[in-house]
Amino acid sequence: MATSIYFPQRGNGFAEKARPADNLPTHSSAVREKWQRHYHSASSWLVPISLPIPGVRTRRLRLMLPNVSKLHQSTVARFGRRKGRVLLVVAVIAIVLTAVTMFHPRYHFVPEDRSWNTYQEPTTLVYRREDLQRIWEWEVAAGHYPSGRKIPENIGLTNPPLNPGLPPRKSSSMPTRFRPPSVTDTIGIGAKRVYLDIQSKPPNVAYPPRPLSGSVADMDVVMEHCDFSQGKYVRDCLEVLRLGAGLDVGARVRRGKMDEWKYIYVEDGEFQNSTQQTMPQINPALALKSQGGADPNAGFVKKRNAEWEPHVYFPQPPRYIAHHDRPASCEENPHIFHMFWTGPFTDKPYLALLSFLYTQNLGLHLDPDHYDPTVCRPQFWLWINPGPAASVPNPTAMRDMFEQLKSNPWASPFLHPRFKNAIQFKLWNTTEQLDGIPELKDEWRDLRDMMFNSGGVVEAVPKQVESSSQQEGNGTVAEGEQPGETKPANDEDDKVNRVGSKSPSSYDRLSVILSDMARFVLCHRFGGIYLDADTILLRDWEELWGWKGAFAYRWSRLELYNTAVLKMNKGSALGTFLFRTALKNGLDFHPMTVSKYTKDAALEPLLQRLPDALFDAAWLNTEDFQRERPPQPYFTNFGDFFFTPRENSAAPQALGIDGFFKGTYSYHFHNFWWQPFDPTRNWPDLGPRFINGERIARAQANANPGEQTTDFPEDLVADDKRDLDWSVVVKRTFEAYVRGETPNMYGEWIKW
């Protein structure tokens, strides 16, 4: 007989029993003997119980339960008869209560109104609901909300605002008593939208057409196809973006109607008469309840230890001007790209400016004196802070800046007269810029010790460096100081005196923090779109200029902003909110903190969070998302742009820039300030017209900065790197356009 796994056996298969003097086992009957063979003895702590299994006649379920008799004997023997029984009863009761607690339905089906004590981040809100309603109403009336998305219910609007940026829609016929207590929709009074079928027409089918002047991108359609939170893939988004814009020339592999993929439109016709619109009536009792009869700010939590901001009143919203209304729309909303740069000019802003020349509708293919009033020509304003972030330039800084630009081989080509209407270099002065913000000018000096605040972490600045911030950028000097007076620290490359990021270990953190604030300052003062200096433009942005709302883009998988691309309207109510809120929160403009500002105030829809596929198509892949269906090219980290993996290294040369995230508006390579785009030809290769700068850069690349020679070895293709990286292909493509050897992506040849 096989040995049992449930109780110990003797060699003959019987359980161990006490034996008489003759050493033989005894049983009172055959029944007792059978019981002993199939069940545990009294010495076992567990007793098996056999239960039938429904539907299985040949098997039984065996459960192991405590041996009460053994437990009783043990407790009585150890603690005595009386105390042992009491302890046994207490243990049984404890086991029963534990089981009831674990399996009682009350702990599995918690009421919805049950409150849990969970950690919440401190709120940043300093505006009352009434003021938030004014911000919403002003932005909608100005046409800065051309979207059909809902207004958050907790804003508590009782009358739907008129929206000139949205065409009329069929109003709801829902009875008043069934309508929600607050308004979440706007009433469209704008012009009709005509969605465009953009394709190259014969015989010009080799290159895509320029976007139609005055066209607009419908961000609601873009979100429908590109929103990561709705499970949309970057690969599919880029296909919609390029097909809807006519960028996929020649291939024509998609068949059938593509009306659902059309996202670019023009406004056609006059605006609707707002006086003819019927205002839905709101039940007064429900409206009062939604606003909070006792507390008009119910549902909004004020920042701790802060006072409510005084009630804000805005001037009359600007008259809405359709994007196709030229030149009025150009004058009202000039197409200005802003970029902030600290320190010596390098190949990073050089490539950003080349991408601007290569992609945007600057008219470089026309005669220099050609003027077309129906086209808004973009401009690129490059703001340069020549010194450390904690100081401002001296009175001669403007002259010094242009002298340095002229002698810098990476910057001097853009001072050519051919680019004077497209590219402008401007001197950054923190004092002058902050004084130009009405919401800050009277109070920002009280927070100078917190100027470098990023995500709540304040970078301390020594007093001797901070004193130079009193200088004015217009050539005047603060009282009691000498022109250009600074007291640098002993270490010229410490955190405070560092100018630019030269390596991962010498990262210029103060300049990065300053740029977080600079982008909001520039967009609020002048309007336009801010770009980080590690951004490369990949297509015309005409339809993005036409969308009059403010936007940034998504921080990869997180529902937060990344302000590497930021569009805001000049002097907007949203800008006022952001600056006043930041002022009460330590002048913190880190993108994650800005996300908190808008979320706490229910203003997130006013600063649209666009999918990162539009500006940063590789980001999700670098964080292990969507790798099963990546876009082209496939980057697993941002370094793949500079060091293309060997197994993928055939793509850059075979596909060219046409195969580099085609459809997206830009590419963000995330820092790498110290890594050259083209290590084997680390100089501006723009041809004979700019040969002097090339000679200087070649000498520097050959470690002979003082040598001015024209005798360089002849370039041989055999000396070039065999497998070119993506960064090399992109740089050389832009340079070939400026040299006049190839047209730009729209088939336009530059005219000098």
Side-chain angles (χ1 to χ4, degrees):
M1 181 177 177
T3 302
S4 172
I5 64 172
Y6 296 108
F7 52 87
Q9 296 282 337
R10 295 182 63 207
N12 61 1
F14 291 97
E16 189 68 37
K17 293 293 294 182
R19 297 176 180 272
D22 57 5
N23 203 31
L24 294 174
T26 60
H27 299 283
S28 59
S29 66
V31 176
R32 177 66 178 171
E33 181 180 355
K34 186 176 181 179
W35 188 90
Q36 287 290 344
R37 288 174 59 88
H38 292 85
Y39 295 89
H40 271 237
S41 66
S43 63
S44 177
W45 290 99
L46 299 175
V47 175
I49 295 180
S50 181
L51 300 176
I53 302 176
V56 182
R57 301 178 61 182
T58 59
R59 299 282 184 180
R60 296 179 68 85
L61 178 65
R62 176 167 290 187
L63 301 177
M64 305 299 293
L65 297 179
N67 189 340
V68 179
S69 176
K70 177 67 174 178
L71 292 173
H72 177 263
Q73 291 177 7
S74 299
T75 53
V76 169
R78 185 177 181 86
F79 301 104
R81 183 181 298 273
R82 188 168 186 175
K83 183 180 291 186
R85 290 177 177 176
V86 172
L87 291 175
L88 184 60
V89 172
V90 171
V92 172
I93 295 175
I95 293 173
V96 172
L97 291 177
T98 302
V100 170
T101 302
M102 293 177 60
F103 299 105
H104 195 282
R106 174 183 178 185
Y107 298 96
H108 294 274
F109 301 97
V110 182
E112 294 183 359
D113 58 350
R114 182 183 178 91
S115 60
W116 299 91
N117 294 325
T118 57
Y119 171 76
Q120 294 182 348
E121 293 187 39
T123 182
T124 61
L125 185 64
V126 294
Y127 277 101
R128 301 175 178 88
R129 174 184 275 110
E130 178 183 348
D131 298 312
L132 299 179
Q133 291 174 346
R134 290 194 182 99
I135 294 172
W136 264 102
E137 291 170 344
W138 191 94
E139 291 287 342
V140 173
H144 298 167
Y145 194 63
S147 171
R149 294 189 303 157
K150 302 288 186 182
I151 298 174
E153 287 189 18
N154 55 343
I155 289 295
L157 293 176
T158 56
N159 289 315
L162 302 178
N163 190 348
L166 202 64
R169 294 178 296 178
K170 186 176 181 180
S171 59
S172 174
S173 58
M174 184 183 298
T176 304
R177 63 182 179 276
F178 296 124
R179 290 176 184 164
S182 59
V183 170
T184 59
D185 291 315
T186 63
I187 296 180
I189 60 172
K192 177 184 177 182
R193 295 179 177 180
V194 178
Y195 290 83
L196 304 176
D197 182 13
I198 305 175
Q199 294 184 13
S200 297
K201 306 297 183 183
N204 301 317
V205 295
Y207 298 95
R210 280 279 182 190
L212 183 64
S213 181
S215 58
V216 186
D218 188 337
M219 291 307 173
D220 290 344
V221 177
V222 171
M223 292 295 292
E224 181 181 346
H225 293 283
C226 302
D227 190 359
F228 172 73
S229 62
Q230 300 300 319
K232 306 301 182 180
Y233 279 80
V234 172
R235 176 194 289 186
D236 301 330
C237 174
L238 296 188
E239 183 178 25
V240 173
L241 291 178
R242 63 176 178 264
L243 289 180
L247 299 178
D248 209 6
V249 296
R252 305 295 174 93
V253 295
R254 290 289 184 184
R255 307 299 296 165
K257 294 186 64 175
M258 292 186 293
D259 291 348
E260 295 182 354
W261 289 10
K262 294 178 180 179
Y263 64 95
I264 299 177
Y265 67 89
V266 293
E267 295 170 304
D268 181 34
E270 300 294 333
F271 292 159
Q272 305 298 313
N273 187 354
S274 61
T275 60
Q276 298 178 359
Q277 300 292 330
T278 303
M279 293 286 191
Q281 297 299 315
I282 304 300
N283 188 320
L286 293 177
L288 181 62
K289 181 178 179 181
S290 69
Q291 294 179 353
D295 183 5
N297 299 306
F300 288 98
V301 182
K302 179 172 66 68
K303 176 180 171 62
R304 188 177 181 182
N305 299 326
E307 299 295 331
W308 289 115
E309 277 285 293
H311 286 300
V312 60
Y313 297 96
F314 299 102
Q316 187 71 17
R319 183 177 66 89
Y320 181 84
I321 300 176
H323 187 49
H324 64 79
D325 187 2
R326 306 297 172 86
S329 64
C330 303
E331 299 170 355
E332 181 69 22
N333 297 296
H335 298 181
I336 303 173
F337 289 101
H338 301 278
M339 185 173 285
F340 180 85
W341 182 254
T342 296
F345 205 92
T346 69
D347 63 334
K348 300 306 179 292
Y350 165 82
L351 196 66
L353 291 175
L354 283 184
S355 71
F356 170 72
L357 299 177
Y358 184 80
T359 59
Q360 304 308 301
N361 191 9
L362 307 178
L364 296 179
H365 62 293
L366 304 172
D367 293 330
D369 57 351
H370 178 83
Y371 172 71
D372 186 351
T374 65
V375 178
C376 285
R377 303 293 185 192
Q379 290 186 337
F380 200 112
W381 292 6
L382 185 59
W383 297 85
I384 295 180
N385 187 31
S391 63
V392 296
N394 58 40
T396 63
M398 181 70 74
R399 182 178 68 250
D400 295 342
M401 180 188 75
F402 277 100
E403 291 296 328
Q404 293 174 6
L405 292 175
K406 291 177 183 178
S407 61
N408 187 303
W410 297 105
S412 57
F414 305 109
L415 297 176
H416 192 281
R418 188 68 177 97
F419 307 134
K420 66 178 181 179
N421 295 325
I423 297 174
Q424 297 185 22
F425 294 96
K426 295 180 176 291
L427 181 69
W428 171 267
N429 182 303
T430 303
T431 300
E432 185 264 335
Q433 292 289 348
L434 294 183
D435 284 343
I437 302 296
E439 295 84 358
L440 296 181
K441 65 178 182 179
D442 296 329
E443 301 178 55
W444 71 267
R445 287 176 174 80
D446 297 334
L447 298 176
R448 282 187 301 170
D449 294 339
M450 302 183 68
M451 282 289 294
F452 298 97
N453 184 357
S454 178
V457 178
V458 179
E459 297 287 345
V461 177
K463 292 295 183 181
Q464 62 266 26
V465 178
E466 189 181 44
S467 64
S468 64
S469 64
Q470 302 296 326
Q471 300 173 8
E472 300 292 340
N474 57 4
T476 63
V477 182
E479 182 178 358
E481 294 185 5
Q482 298 299 320
E485 178 184 3
T486 57
K487 299 178 181 180
N490 295 330
D491 186 356
E492 294 183 357
D493 194 41
D494 64 1
K495 178 181 68 175
V496 175
N497 294 284
R498 187 170 296 152
V499 181
S501 300
K502 303 177 181 64
S503 70
S505 60
S506 60
Y507 192 70
D508 189 358
R509 178 167 173 77
L510 294 187
S511 294
V512 172
I513 297 175
L514 181 60
S515 74
D516 285 341
M517 177 178 63
R519 65 198 65 201
F520 287 93
V521 170
L522 295 173
C523 290
H524 190 58
R525 286 194 69 189
F526 307 104
I529 297 177
Y530 177 90
L531 304 172
D532 268 354
D534 49 357
T535 300
I536 302 171
L537 303 180
L538 295 177
R539 58 180 284 192
D540 197 321
W541 285 37
E542 172 68 22
E543 59 267 18
L544 293 186
W545 290 110
W547 199 80
K548 295 186 178 296
F551 63 74
Y553 71 91
R554 185 183 180 114
W555 188 289
S556 184
R557 69 191 187 280
L558 304 177
E559 292 190 359
L560 302 170
Y561 295 120
N562 185 1
T563 54
V565 175
L566 174 69
K567 179 179 184 291
M568 290 180 60
N569 292 287
K570 178 180 177 180
S572 65
L574 175 64
T576 296
F577 161 81
L578 289 173
F579 280 105
R580 293 303 301 175
T581 302
L583 188 67
K584 296 302 179 66
N585 287 273
L587 287 176
D588 189 352
F589 286 94
H590 189 279
M592 290 189 176
T593 308
V594 173
S595 304
K596 192 81 169 66
Y597 297 162
T598 57
K599 183 177 181 180
D600 291 344
L603 298 181
E604 283 184 298
L606 290 181
L607 183 58
Q608 174 88 330
R609 187 186 300 112
L610 296 179
D612 55 1
L614 275 69
F615 310 107
D616 206 339
W619 200 352
L620 285 171
N621 285 165
T622 64
E623 297 190 350
D624 295 328
F625 289 90
Q626 299 189 356
R627 289 192 171 184
E628 72 280 8
R629 295 186 67 240
Q632 165 61 35
Y634 174 37
F635 289 171
T636 57
N637 62 76
F638 291 115
D640 289 352
F641 177 61
F642 297 90
F643 312 100
T644 305
R646 187 178 183 87
E647 61 273 16
N648 300 326
S649 58
Q653 293 155 267
L655 302 178
I657 198 172
D658 196 54
F660 187 72
F661 297 113
K662 191 170 184 178
T664 190
Y665 285 90
S666 64
Y667 177 70
H668 185 200
F669 55 83
H670 289 255
N671 304 322
F672 286 89
W673 306 113
W674 45 87
Q675 176 61 38
F677 290 112
D678 190 353
T680 59
R681 299 180 65 82
N682 190 25
W683 56 77
D685 188 8
L686 301 178
R689 188 172 280 103
F690 304 101
I691 192 62
N692 291 333
E694 179 181 336
R695 290 169 179 165
I696 296 174
R698 281 200 177 208
Q700 294 173 346
N702 295 329
N704 298 316
E707 181 181 351
Q708 300 293 331
T709 178
T710 61
D711 299 328
F712 292 102
E714 185 178 4
D715 295 331
L716 300 176
V717 70
D719 297 333
D720 205 357
K721 184 179 179 181
R722 190 60 182 173
D723 296 327
L724 300 181
D725 301 303
W726 277 110
S727 62
V728 176
V729 170
V730 170
K731 173 178 178 289
R732 295 185 183 182
T733 300
F734 294 159
E735 291 174 331
Y737 166 67
V738 176
R739 291 197 303 268
E741 297 174 359
T742 183
N744 62 17
M745 64 176 296
Y746 297 100
E748 301 165 348
W749 295 80
I750 188 170
K751 277 191 176 182
W752 292 98

